[in-house]
């Protein structure tokens, strides 16, 4: 039996030295190095902002984490800041929600500011929790809970957002949509508003989360899933990406349904960010992501692998919905390329494991060298992959380190974030697990055409979403 197993193992190792297999393994190395380069560029943008803040502090602006120009903190300037309405669609009450909500309402934005917490019904656990939070602050903040009712034409989240927009102050110039699972910095709303004021051509401003894994494999898989996307948000300016957890827009775009924003969301919208990104692309509108728009995103300590799988299913299901023909083509291209690259990333590690196992069997069993010359070629490929993997992990570590440092600077009053809590062995395992499962989830979404999101099952029909 052992001899037969060795024979199969050696045949596989030899097959994995064929030209096609070598190409696959080199391709894996290229994917690793491409990711490393992207994260290095993102780290440069974030680190440049850290240097700017520190230089400003050394020049005498001790509040540089709030604004670039200390003169902007003068009362005469603050009194003319535009009104902002913050809309937060809520569903359920999780481990970190209360802390996150506190960070959102305790803002140092100097202009008129209101917070609209929108729930489906008073039966939602979030309703009582956020009501208590608002009562704790009493008259110190302008905040209220809005009951939106059950959605019938779009996802519940989008329905809550649109009801929140309907209830916002008539004088609000900007509306900021926030998810309930991120922590804002004291100056975040001010920084986003300042960019909108500088450039009225901005259609949407967005940001991206810095995942704080809780220790479970599922939480590391979510962190690993987000990391490749993070480089698209660390541009320091124009981007084609949009994250629904933080989106600032002109309030009039919703009042007057500019570019079909409201109708696009209301009539069959499933994903708020993908829908709005499609609208922006169709109308050649500008999306930007300022370098300070990175937000701590603590992941639940009870985040099981099944919850991660449900999260991944929701992410891949997004690619099945679309508004325009061009949007459908782009989603198909993302579907195909992501599946190809995911398994193109994983396959070389399976081949490398085969090469290493074959080499160990040869060493243990003492096979003749002339019978196993192919193994040296396999180990050379393994060495290349190991080196590229190290470079990739180092680049990921460096970007995470810089973003942790930036978040600590932007929130000096908050408990310090630390890179020491990250387990890089689990990060590597999560890379393999997440990339292996992504195509599985994508194909399941494609053929099932339905998804369970927070207890509601959504179905795709044509270009519109339905729910029951």
């Amino acid at each position: 039996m052992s001899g037969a197993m060795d024979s199969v193992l050696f045949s596989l190792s030899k097959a994995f030295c064929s030209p096609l297999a070598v190409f696959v393994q080199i391709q894996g190395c290229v994917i690793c190095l491409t990711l490393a380069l992207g994260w290095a560029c993102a780290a440069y943008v974030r680190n440049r902002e850290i240097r700017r803040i520190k230089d400003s502090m050394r020049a005498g602006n001790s509040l540089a984490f709030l604004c670039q120009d200390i003169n902007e903190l003068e009362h005469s300037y603050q009194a003319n800041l535009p009104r902002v309405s913050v809309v937060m669609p809520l569903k359920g009450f999780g481990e970190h929600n209360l802390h996150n909500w506190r960070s959102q309402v305790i803002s140092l934005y100097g202009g008129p500011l209101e917070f609209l917490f929108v729930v489906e019904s008073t039966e939602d656990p979030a309703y009582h929790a956020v009501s208590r939070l608002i009562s704790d602050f009493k008259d110190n903040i302008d905040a209220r809970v809005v009951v939106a009712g059950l959605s019938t034409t779009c996802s519940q989240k989008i329905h809550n957002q649109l009801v929140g927009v309907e209830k916002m102050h008539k004088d609000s110039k900007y509306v900021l949509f926030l998810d309930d699972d991120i922590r804002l910095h004291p100056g975040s709303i001010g920084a986003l508003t300042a960019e909108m004021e500088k450039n009225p051509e901005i259609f949407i401003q967005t940001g991206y989360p810095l995942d704080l894994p809780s220790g479970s494999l599922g939480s590391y898989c979510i962190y690993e899933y987000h990391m490749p996307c993070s480089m698209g948000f660390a541009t320091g300016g124009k981007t084609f990406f949009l994250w629904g957890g933080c989106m600032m827009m002109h309030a009039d775009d919703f009042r007057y349904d500019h570019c079909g924003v409201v109708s696009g969301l209301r009539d069959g919208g499933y994903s708020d960010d993908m829908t709005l990104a499609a609208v922006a692309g169709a109308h050649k509108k500008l999306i930007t992501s300022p370098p300070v728009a990175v937000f701590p995103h603590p992941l639940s300590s009870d985040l099981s692998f099944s919850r991660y799988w449900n999260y991944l299913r929701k992410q891949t299901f997004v690619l099945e919905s679309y508004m325009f023909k061009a949007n459908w083509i782009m989603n198909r291209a993302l579907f195909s390329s992501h599946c190809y690259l995911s398994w193109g990333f994983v396959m070389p590690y399976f081949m490398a494991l085969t090469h290493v196992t074959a080499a160990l069997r040869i060493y243990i069993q003492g096979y003749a060298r002339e019978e196993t010359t192919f193994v040296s070629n396999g180990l050379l490929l393994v060495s290349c992959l190991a080196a590229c993997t190290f470079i990739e992990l180092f680049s990921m570590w460096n970007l995470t380190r810089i973003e942790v440092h930036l978040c600590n600077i932007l929130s000096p009053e908050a408990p310090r974030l630390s890179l020491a809590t990250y387990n890089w062995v689990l990060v590597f395992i999560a890379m393999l697990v997440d990339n292996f499962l992504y195509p599985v989830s994508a194909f399941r979404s494609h053929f099932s055409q339905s998804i369970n999101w927070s207890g509601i099952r959504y179905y795709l029909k044509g270009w519109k979403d339905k729910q029951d």
Side-chain angles (χ1 to χ4, degrees):
M1 178 65 73
S2 177
M5 291 291 291
D6 285 350
S7 179
V8 172
L9 185 63
F10 296 159
S11 296
L12 280 175
S13 182
K14 190 173 183 178
F16 290 160
C17 292
S18 68
L20 179 60
V22 170
F23 169 78
V24 170
Q25 291 166 86
I26 292 175
Q27 177 184 256
C29 293
V30 172
I31 293 173
C32 288
L33 295 177
T34 302
L35 288 170
L37 178 61
W39 287 325
C41 293
Y44 170 80
V45 172
R46 302 294 191 199
N47 199 42
R48 184 177 60 190
E49 186 63 17
I50 291 174
R51 291 197 304 269
R52 184 198 64 75
I53 294 173
K54 288 184 174 180
D55 289 344
S56 184
M57 287 181 171
R58 282 192 289 268
N61 182 7
S62 59
L63 298 176
F65 66 94
L66 287 179
C67 59
Q68 297 184 20
D69 185 358
I70 198 170
N71 294 320
E72 294 177 359
L73 296 177
E74 295 285 344
H75 175 71
S76 58
Y77 183 90
Q78 297 279 302
N80 293 316
L81 289 174
R83 176 179 286 274
V84 177
S85 293
V86 182
V87 176
M88 284 169 279
L90 308 181
K91 180 73 173 179
F93 182 62
E95 177 183 352
H96 301 289
N97 285 147
L98 189 59
H99 191 162
N100 296 337
W101 296 339
R102 286 184 180 275
S103 76
Q104 292 166 357
V105 300
I106 304 176
S107 171
L108 295 182
Y109 179 64
L113 184 64
E114 69 169 343
F115 297 90
L116 301 168
F117 296 90
V118 190
V119 296
E120 176 191 315
S121 71
T122 56
E123 301 302 315
D124 193 311
Y127 175 82
H128 300 288
V130 78
S131 296
R132 288 193 296 270
L133 174 67
I134 293 173
S135 65
D136 289 343
F137 285 94
K138 296 182 180 177
D139 297 327
N140 294 322
I141 59 171
D142 180 5
R144 55 198 167 107
V145 184
V146 177
V147 178
L150 186 65
S151 172
T152 57
T153 64
C154 57
S155 71
Q156 189 64 45
K157 178 184 179 182
I158 289 177
H159 177 68
N160 288 9
Q161 290 172 322
L162 293 178
V163 171
V165 166
E166 291 175 1
K167 302 295 184 181
M168 70 181 173
H169 196 281
K170 62 181 179 62
D171 295 327
S172 288
K173 186 174 183 181
Y174 302 113
V175 56
L176 174 62
F177 298 105
L178 292 176
D179 279 355
D180 62 0
D181 57 356
I182 65 162
R183 295 177 184 172
L184 279 191
H185 307 293
S188 293
I189 297 178
L192 293 169
T193 305
E195 292 297 322
M196 297 289 279
E197 289 288 283
K198 284 182 198 174
N199 185 3
E201 294 300 314
I202 295 175
F203 183 57
I204 310 175
Q205 266 204 111
T206 189
Y208 206 62
L210 168 62
D211 290 324
L212 307 175
S214 59
S216 67
L217 178 60
S219 68
Y220 277 100
C221 285
I222 291 179
Y223 162 75
E224 192 282 328
Y225 177 83
H226 280 157
M227 282 303 289
C229 302
S230 66
M231 62 184 75
F233 292 84
T235 61
K238 182 178 179 181
T239 182
F240 298 101
F241 297 90
L242 184 60
W243 177 54
C246 173
M247 301 185 298
M248 177 173 276
M249 301 180 66
H250 296 270
D252 280 350
D253 287 343
F254 287 88
R255 292 190 181 102
Y256 304 109
D257 195 17
H258 289 161
C259 303
V261 166
V262 175
S263 54
L265 289 168
R266 181 192 59 217
D267 300 333
Y270 165 74
S271 168
D272 53 342
D273 46 16
M274 289 291 283
T275 301
L276 290 173
V279 170
H283 295 274
K284 304 296 189 292
K285 293 293 186 176
L286 178 63
I287 301 175
T288 66
S289 180
V292 295
V294 54
F295 310 105
H297 178 215
L299 298 172
S300 176
S301 59
D302 62 348
L303 202 159
S304 62
F305 196 79
S306 61
R307 284 180 60 188
Y308 153 70
W309 172 249
N310 182 254
Y311 172 83
L312 185 62
R313 286 274 289 111
K314 289 188 292 184
Q315 299 304 305
T316 55
F317 185 75
V318 166
L319 296 181
E320 298 300 316
S321 61
Y322 58 93
M323 286 186 64
F324 312 107
K325 185 67 175 179
N327 188 216
W328 177 84
I329 294 173
M330 183 186 71
N331 284 359
R332 291 302 92 201
L334 286 172
F335 176 96
S336 303
S337 59
H338 203 152
C339 289
Y340 176 82
L341 292 172
S342 289
W343 275 354
F345 176 84
V346 173
M347 185 59 69
Y349 290 97
F350 171 73
M351 294 178 173
L353 180 62
T354 303
H355 290 314
V356 171
T357 306
L360 288 174
R361 291 296 298 170
I362 289 169
Y363 176 78
I364 293 171
Q365 297 296 330
Y367 287 98
R369 182 179 295 273
E370 58 271 13
E371 297 177 7
T372 57
T373 53
F374 60 88
V375 172
S376 59
N377 295 329
L379 291 179
L380 178 61
L381 293 169
V382 171
S383 300
C384 292
L385 182 62
C388 293
T389 301
F390 175 80
I391 294 171
E392 179 194 18
L393 286 172
F394 176 81
S395 186
M396 183 190 288
W397 170 85
N398 186 54
L399 175 58
T400 305
R401 176 185 65 84
I402 289 172
E403 290 189 337
V404 163
H405 186 31
L406 179 59
C407 286
N408 285 334
I409 290 176
L410 294 173
S411 292
E413 84 298 340
R416 308 292 285 178
L417 305 180
S418 173
L419 197 65
T421 59
Y422 288 76
N423 184 326
W424 293 96
V425 174
L426 277 179
V427 170
F428 174 70
I429 295 173
M431 287 166 56
L432 299 178
V433 171
D434 183 62
N435 281 286
F436 175 77
L437 289 178
Y438 183 91
V440 177
S441 175
F443 278 103
R444 181 171 178 183
S445 295
H446 178 71
F447 289 108
S448 69
Q449 295 287 285
S450 69
I451 186 68
N452 185 306
W453 186 5
S454 299
I456 300 174
R457 181 158 292 277
Y458 295 90
Y459 300 90
L460 286 173
K461 183 178 180 181
W463 63 275
K464 290 188 176 182
D465 301 287
K466 291 186 176 182
Q467 63 169 321
D468 64 16

